[in-house]
Amino acid sequence: MSKRPYTKRRRAEKEAETRRRIVAAAAELHEERGPRETTVSAIAERAGVQRLTVYRHFPDDHALFEACTTHWLSANPPPEPEEWLQLDDARERTRAALGALYAYFRRTRAMWRLAHRDRDDVPAVQAPMRRFDTHLDEIREDLVRAWAPGRREAGSVRAVLGHALKFPTWQSLYDEGLSDAQMADLVVTWLRCVAASDTGGRAG
């Protein structure tokens, strides 16, 4: 009986394991040093492979960053609107959404801080970051509908939410010593003011 299928399978398994180690090493280094300071040599050393092995699996930064992002997000999935869609009250829905997002930022702040720091300097970071921005935009639009149902214009509400959902906003309030719940309450208070101003009356 030929051993060739077994040998090919073992080779494929070994290649997959090498690729996994490279991706995991890159993700760890991005979180520790940031994308800008992570070199192929450092990735190879952390993964226990040669630099040429890294290039064989990932011929350019974009391929590596796409794999790294998928790996990291699978271990650190961001909150989804399904977690708070059952809440009809705009204030409750916003507190739930921001509470989930801010707790996520708190758990993963090392990665997000460095990713934002290096975003403009590392082109390969920009596409994954834009996709996360799109996810935040979807959360924003859901919350805008809760605060301004049926209205075409909700510019102030949209602007406040766009600011509140960003990691740098969370980071600045975190640096001021606020808890996630305090941050969410602050945003809701701001939204109540601007929503009332937009409608010419009182909101919530």
Side-chain angles (χ1 to χ4, degrees), residues 10-194:
R10 289 291 299 149
R11 184 181 299 116
E13 289 172 354
K14 185 177 180 181
E15 287 292 290
E17 172 59 18
T18 298
R19 179 184 175 91
R20 187 200 66 77
R21 292 206 317 271
I22 292 169
V23 172
E28 291 170 5
L29 289 164
H30 289 167
E31 193 162 14
E32 294 169 13
R33 305 179 184 181
R36 188 177 62 202
E37 306 300 330
T38 296
T39 64
V40 172
S41 295
I43 294 170
E45 182 179 358
R46 177 72 61 94
V49 300
Q50 300 296 315
R51 291 176 72 253
L52 288 177
T53 304
V54 177
Y55 287 121
R56 178 160 55 82
H57 283 274
F58 301 101
D60 57 51
D61 286 345
H62 291 278
L64 178 58
F65 273 78
E66 288 297 330
C68 182
T69 299
T70 299
H71 168 82
W72 189 82
L73 287 176
S74 69
N76 301 278
E80 296 287 346
E82 287 75 13
E83 299 179 31
W84 53 80
L85 282 177
Q86 75 279 6
L87 300 173
D88 293 327
D89 182 80
R91 292 166 298 178
E92 291 181 8
R93 183 180 291 193
T94 302
R95 286 193 181 95
L98 293 179
L101 183 65
Y102 290 168
Y104 174 71
F105 283 156
R106 187 175 292 268
R107 291 193 305 272
T108 59
R109 62 184 182 274
M111 179 68 86
W112 288 112
R113 181 180 65 82
L114 293 171
H116 277 276
R117 183 199 70 182
D118 297 350
R119 182 173 188 165
D120 292 338
D121 298 327
V122 184
V125 174
Q126 293 166 13
M129 294 289 282
R130 283 195 297 270
R131 288 197 295 272
F132 188 71
D133 289 343
T134 297
H135 179 66
L136 296 182
D137 285 342
E138 292 169 357
I139 294 175
R140 174 173 65 172
E141 291 310 307
D142 166 67
L143 296 177
V144 167
R145 287 190 291 271
W147 283 95
R151 281 195 286 148
R152 289 187 177 182
E153 298 297 330
S156 298
V157 169
R158 183 172 284 107
V160 170
L161 286 166
H163 183 64
L165 291 166
K166 287 182 169 60
F167 173 80
T169 301
W170 176 86
Q171 181 70 62
S172 68
L173 295 174
Y174 171 81
D175 291 342
E176 293 294 332
L178 272 64
S179 69
D180 295 337
Q182 289 173 318
M183 297 179 203
D185 284 342
L186 184 62
V187 173
V188 168
T189 299
W190 192 4
L191 285 166
R192 290 179 65 188
C193 292
V194 299

